[in-house]
Amino acid sequence: MNPESPEERNGTPVGRRVFLGTLGLGALGVLTAPALQRGLESLAGKDPTGLSGLLPNGGGFRYYSVAASVPDKNATDYRLTIGGLVDHPRAYTLADLRALPQTRLVRDVQCVTGWRVPGTPFEGVRLADLLDAAGVRPTARALRFTCFDGTYTESLTLAQARRPDVLVALRMQDKDIGHDHGGPVRLYVAPMYFYKSAKWLSGITVTDRVRPGYWENLGYDVDAWVGRSNGRTDEPTG
Amino acid sequence: MNPPADAPARPSVRLPRFSRAERWVHRTTAALMGVCVLTAAVLYIPQLAVLVGRRELVVRVHECAGLALPVPVLVGLAFRAFRADLRLLNRFGPHDRLWLWAAARRDRRHGARPAGKFNAGQKIYAAWIAGAALVMLGTGLAMWFTHLAPLVWRTAATFVHDWLALAIAVVLAGHIGMALGDPEARRGLRTGTVSGEWAKREHPLWRP
């Protein structure tokens, strides 16, 4: 019904070739991604402008929040409560936490979605010290962490929580932890994927069994060792 | 009804360019793509992520819009006019090569850029964005259903998904920018008809 010029009907099928070529390039991209990614990361490491931070996998931290909005807490209204199966439940202010012995660790941060930030200093109170001060009862097996974003939760077994590389962190990258990074206080679990390092930490409850946290209820591993969980093979950070 | 094949389209006449079904395919695809791009921006740009939060919800919306993205085109295949236009988009004639040469030389004279119903740029855009959308769908599914794909593929799929998203954002901005610069082309997709003058100027070889 629509008379077309012959070349419009019988020309070369370039469209199909472009379409299939794009699909092929996509598949090739997936196959060569590991090599390409390594190359780009080494290039980005030498970038003095910092512009590469805007590109995919450009390095640095990414902001993830599962809540609609997160209140600001500061030295006057921040509290960290420790309760559950302990002999001495209590609430710490920011000043209380700062007055305790501080530990500084410098490790890589590995996110379960793939990004990794090398050599990031974290500083704070060993979780083991807080547990000792609280007096953990013999029936206790695990910890549940709650956050003042009102939504996020995390968990650790008692043995994991007592590791020397698990901190209630007050400083990151040698600065007080800002709000976007989970400040003023966040958990830092050095040997595990970064979702274990709950931001905006406000409560620690000692429990008789592990109660899976927010992402763990959505399918992520509870024992989230870097390189040995979530089907990933990253270099360990512990 | 049809003018002789060599006669120019009469001015001041409205020429039928897109059927109702085709316009709805374009509209719904554009809306779904818009949702994909906006949610992607929220997931990707830290400042927006800080503003919106609700990561799990945003991910869910992004996944649903991405899955639905090919549906309008697949439904469109049931319509004769849509299939006919796909055929025109696929086939390249000698005039398309001239058009591409003129574009490469930044020659903006209409005489230098012969085109049928679709010009060569539109044809390449259509084929590329269709392929790119399917690559996004495939890599997106590999990121989503991690237990289905071999595990090393997840990072690779993420890598391709991220970089191709950037490329699509640039190309899509070009597509929208050119539409903004051509009200009559937009009218064609809104009402289905275009003016004879416009058709003669932009698509001289088109015989509606």
Side-chain angles (χ1 to χ4, degrees):
Chain A
M1 43 177 223
N2 283 353
E4 299 148 354
S5 52
E7 64 264 33
E8 288 247 283
R9 258 177 295 127
N10 306 323
T12 334
V14 175
R16 186 186 305 154
R17 290 175 197 168
V18 171
F19 173 73
L20 294 175
T22 308
L23 286 181
L25 274 180
L28 189 71
V30 170
L31 291 177
T32 55
L36 286 173
Q37 195 157 18
R38 273 194 301 276
L40 283 168
E41 272 162 12
S42 69
L43 275 180
K46 295 181 202 119
D47 171 24
T49 63
L51 288 174
S52 58
L54 300 170
L55 294 173
N57 283 319
F61 286 91
R62 300 195 193 170
Y63 176 89
Y64 293 162
S65 168
V66 296
S69 70
V70 184
D72 265 303
K73 297 270 185 183
N74 54 38
T76 56
D77 58 2
Y78 176 81
R79 293 290 181 282
L80 173 63
T81 59
I82 298 190
L85 301 172
V86 295
D87 293 326
H88 318 289
R90 70 165 288 187
Y92 288 87
T93 65
L94 209 48
D96 295 338
L97 292 170
R98 283 181 181 143
L100 293 169
Q102 306 288 306
T103 302
R104 185 172 180 272
L105 298 172
V106 183
R107 305 281 163 78
D108 291 359
V109 166
Q110 177 71 52
C111 178
V112 75
T113 62
W115 54 265
R116 186 179 183 104
V117 183
T120 308
F122 280 88
E123 200 174 335
V125 183
R126 277 199 183 135
L127 183 52
D129 294 349
L130 295 179
L131 292 175
D132 289 344
V136 175
R137 294 194 185 146
T139 50
R141 293 287 173 274
L143 272 66
R144 177 172 177 79
F145 301 92
T146 48
C147 305
F148 63 79
D149 70 353
T151 308
Y152 200 72
T153 52
E154 252 310 333
S155 68
L156 285 175
T157 68
L158 205 50
Q160 290 164 358
R162 286 206 154 116
R163 286 175 60 110
D165 53 4
V166 176
L167 304 180
V168 170
L170 308 173
R171 290 166 66 77
M172 168 178 155
Q173 294 171 320
D174 295 318
K175 298 188 291 270
D176 289 345
I177 300 178
H179 181 265
D180 290 350
H181 286 304
V185 176
R186 75 180 297 165
L187 192 62
Y188 175 58
V189 185
M192 294 196 180
Y193 286 105
F194 208 40
Y195 64 86
K196 298 298 286 192
S197 298
K199 304 207 276 194
W200 306 300
L201 181 65
S202 62
I204 301 174
T205 311
V206 180
T207 57
D208 56 358
R209 63 188 168 85
V210 171
R211 288 157 70 192
Y214 182 90
W215 284 118
E216 293 148 21
N217 283 319
L218 294 168
Y220 286 84
D221 286 350
V222 176
D223 298 317
W225 306 107
V226 173
R228 285 188 282 137
S229 64
N230 294 295
R232 295 184 59 93
T233 54
D234 307 288
E235 184 84 6
T237 55
Chain B
M1 291 300 288
N2 291 305
D6 55 345
R10 267 173 302 146
S12 79
V13 195
R14 302 297 299 178
L15 302 174
R17 184 157 171 86
F18 295 117
S19 73
R20 184 185 298 270
E22 287 181 297
R23 283 175 279 152
W24 275 105
V25 168
H26 186 262
R27 246 167 240 163
T28 44
T29 304
L32 288 167
M33 184 61 111
V35 172
C36 284
V37 170
L38 286 180
T39 48
V42 169
L43 294 172
Y44 216 90
I45 301 171
Q47 290 80 356
L48 288 178
V50 169
L51 214 62
V52 176
R54 295 182 177 86
R55 194 167 184 86
E56 196 210 335
L57 172 71
V58 179
V59 167
R60 186 67 59 203
V61 173
H62 186 77
E63 289 167 342
C64 291
L67 262 193
L69 188 59
V71 173
V73 167
L74 294 177
V75 172
L77 289 176
F79 295 87
R80 187 195 296 268
F82 184 76
R83 291 198 304 271
D85 277 356
L86 280 189
R87 208 169 302 127
L88 292 180
L89 284 167
N90 180 27
R91 298 285 171 174
F92 275 54
H95 58 283
D96 288 314
R97 191 162 308 151
L98 289 177
W99 190 98
L100 287 174
W101 265 114
R105 282 181 282 119
R106 308 217 157 259
D107 186 344
R108 295 190 178 282
R109 288 170 302 145
H110 292 296
R113 295 195 179 194
K117 180 166 185 179
F118 302 105
N119 67 44
Q122 292 169 323
K123 293 179 181 183
I124 288 181
Y125 171 78
W128 184 82
I129 198 75
L134 283 186
V135 172
M136 292 302 272
L137 183 63
T139 51
L141 287 172
M143 291 155 71
W144 184 357
F145 300 103
T146 49
H147 54 282
L148 291 185
L151 295 161
V152 275
W153 287 20
R154 177 170 16 173
T155 327
T158 309
F159 180 82
V160 171
H161 202 83
D162 286 3
W163 279 97
L164 189 55
L166 198 66
I168 288 175
V170 171
V171 173
L172 209 56
H175 177 72
I176 293 168
M178 273 181 268
L180 287 178
D182 193 343
E184 191 61 21
R186 293 206 307 279
R187 200 165 297 133
L189 270 167
R190 204 169 58 246
T191 65
T193 63
V194 292
S195 76
E197 294 95 332
W198 181 86
K200 191 182 163 202
R201 188 177 71 239
E202 301 287 337
H203 299 274
L205 302 177
W206 176 34
R207 299 287 171 261

